[in-house]
Amino acid sequence: MCVVCPAGLVNMTGLEGAEGHRARRRGGRRLGQIIIHCIRSLVLILTYYACSIGLTFYQKRLFRDFKFPLTVVIVHLFMKFVLAGLCRATYTLVTGIPRVMLSWDVYWRKVLPPGAAAGLDIGLSQWSLEFITVALYTMSKSTALLFILAFAIIFKLEEMRCTVVVLVVLIAGGLFLFTYKYTQFNLFGFILVITASLLSGLRWTLSQLVMQKSELALSNPIDMVYHIQPWMTVALLPLAVVMEGTAIAASEYGFRFTDSSDVMYMWGRVMFGAVLAFFMEAGLVLCIIGITLHVVMKALHPPKTVPHPPLTPSDSHQKVPLLSDTDGEEHELFSR
């Protein structure tokens, strides 16, 4: 007996096989993107924590010789602003694409609140290191997570859930047990670091709100650093002048210096801490790598001369990624 297979059935089977093959390829591509995203996130997290812990111990050692923590923070803020500006200028010089620049009205209304909170957060944190140990500082500063969750709920970034309550109770209980009858406890230093943690929660929540607004085009960390540092300086400068202005001006590292080499060495140590703090924006590493690879590829494979139409004013203000050009793919991937 001869069985004849209809041609339509053969075609349908072939189409199903091709569709299955394409689905497997898409699945494999998505899996690869997820793995790359996880690896990059892990590298950024490890880089941030390495710089953060290293900076904490570095600053604690620096304050033994240079007892002006607020002045150190002011120098750090200025250096980070300059370094962010250099990164933006280098990117524009290499690619020919200008970075975003906010108007004054938007700048003070949207960026001032997180900038002021961030400046006071960093200033009080550094000041507290004069009075408490690194261990107590680290444990106390970890309460910033509590305030981040609280402000995220207030600003509708997070929903109130049982897991959030449990997390808050666990962290608060752990801090209480750690500080209970602590032999090297200093109340003023503890108040400073807890206040800094509260401001840190407000700072990161407001920064998240600003970076999520697509019309501001500040989702890139380098652009955010460049725009927020001046407001951080403005918020902290009056406190630094009142608390340390006269003392540092009359010190051996100010106008009463006797050995210029000692002065240069000490201010060099202060500025090195600023560079380390700037590397805590962990995207800087990717920025430098990306710019370097772009320059190398441009030198090895010079582009052909092709006439381009002139840019319109709207084109010059478009959001352009500084660190990566795969954000769209990741957004598409994780929105599924």
Side-chain angles (χ1 to χ4, degrees):
M1 183 176 61
C2 180
V3 179
V4 179
C5 209
L9 183 60
V10 175
N11 292 337
M12 185 179 298
T13 305
L15 289 174
E16 290 177 354
E19 183 63 29
H21 180 66
R22 283 194 293 269
R24 286 193 296 270
R25 289 183 60 185
R26 286 196 298 269
R29 187 161 53 248
R30 285 198 295 269
L31 179 60
Q33 290 175 344
I34 292 175
I35 293 174
I36 291 174
H37 181 82
C38 292
I39 292 175
R40 189 173 68 173
S41 300
L42 180 62
V43 170
L44 293 179
I45 292 171
L46 292 177
T47 303
Y48 179 87
Y49 274 99
C51 291
S52 178
I53 295 172
L55 180 64
T56 300
F57 282 98
Y58 181 84
Q59 296 292 79
K60 185 70 174 178
R61 186 179 181 87
L62 175 65
F63 293 154
R64 296 176 186 173
D65 305 321
F66 191 83
K67 300 184 180 300
F68 306 104
L70 298 180
T71 303
V72 170
V73 175
I74 293 294
V75 174
H76 284 194
L77 296 178
F78 175 75
M79 288 290 296
K80 289 170 70 175
F81 173 74
V82 172
L83 291 173
L86 288 175
C87 283
R88 284 162 51 95
T90 303
Y91 180 85
T92 302
L93 183 65
V94 171
T95 64
I97 304 174
R99 300 303 305 167
V100 62
M101 185 65 70
L102 297 181
S103 65
W104 177 253
D105 180 61
V106 175
Y107 185 47
W108 78 265
R109 285 191 299 105
K110 301 295 185 181
V111 186
L112 171 59
L120 293 174
D121 166 26
I122 296 175
L124 296 181
S125 296
Q126 298 298 314
W127 193 6
S128 69
L129 283 173
E130 279 198 53
F131 307 100
I132 60 177
T133 63
V134 173
L136 180 58
Y137 169 85
T138 304
M139 284 297 300
S140 302
K141 203 64 167 64
S142 65
T143 58
L145 179 60
L146 305 179
F147 298 110
I148 290 175
L149 290 174
F151 285 115
I153 292 172
I154 292 173
F155 289 104
K156 309 297 183 183
L157 292 175
E158 184 74 29
E159 296 180 359
M160 174 63 78
R161 297 190 299 269
C162 293
T163 53
V164 174
V165 177
V166 172
L167 183 62
V168 169
V169 171
L170 288 176
I171 297 178
L175 179 65
F176 172 76
L177 293 175
F178 184 81
T179 56
Y180 182 65
K181 292 185 178 180
Y182 192 74
T183 56
Q184 297 179 331
F185 182 80
N186 182 286
L187 180 60
F188 181 66
F190 182 73
I191 292 175
L192 285 178
V193 73
I194 291 297
T195 305
S197 294
L198 185 147
L199 290 170
S200 180
L202 179 62
R203 160 199 183 184
W204 290 116
T205 306
L206 293 176
S207 297
Q208 181 72 11
L209 288 173
V210 169
M211 296 179 75
Q212 282 183 350
K213 294 182 179 296
S214 57
E215 66 271 15
L216 297 181
L218 290 182
S219 60
N220 187 278
I222 302 298
D223 290 329
M224 186 66 177
V225 168
Y226 178 79
H227 284 88
I228 205 172
Q229 297 303 305
W231 288 127
M232 294 171 67
T233 306
V234 168
L236 188 60
L237 188 59
L239 181 62
V241 170
V242 171
M243 300 299 299
E244 301 176 355
T246 304
I248 193 171
S251 71
E252 57 181 323
Y253 303 115
F255 294 110
R256 297 182 60 186
F257 72 93
T258 55
D259 190 345
S260 58
S261 61
D262 289 344
V263 174
M264 293 176 62
Y265 172 71
M266 182 56 66
W267 285 106
R269 290 175 62 186
V270 173
M271 286 188 285
F272 176 77
V275 175
L276 190 60
F278 187 60
F279 270 91
M280 286 176 63
E281 320 297 333
L284 174 67
V285 180
L286 298 180
C287 171
I288 294 175
I289 293 174
I291 292 176
T292 304
L293 289 177
H294 182 85
V295 173
V296 171
M297 294 302 294
K298 194 172 181 180
L300 294 178
H301 306 285
K304 297 180 180 178
T305 333
V306 178
H308 295 280
L311 287 176
T312 63
S314 60
D315 294 333
S316 61
H317 296 285
Q318 286 181 350
K319 176 184 171 185
V320 181
L322 177 59
L323 306 181
S324 171
D325 57 357
T326 60
D327 292 344
E329 296 177 4
E330 292 174 359
H331 176 72
E332 180 185 357
L333 169 65
F334 290 96
S335 62
R336 291 192 177 117

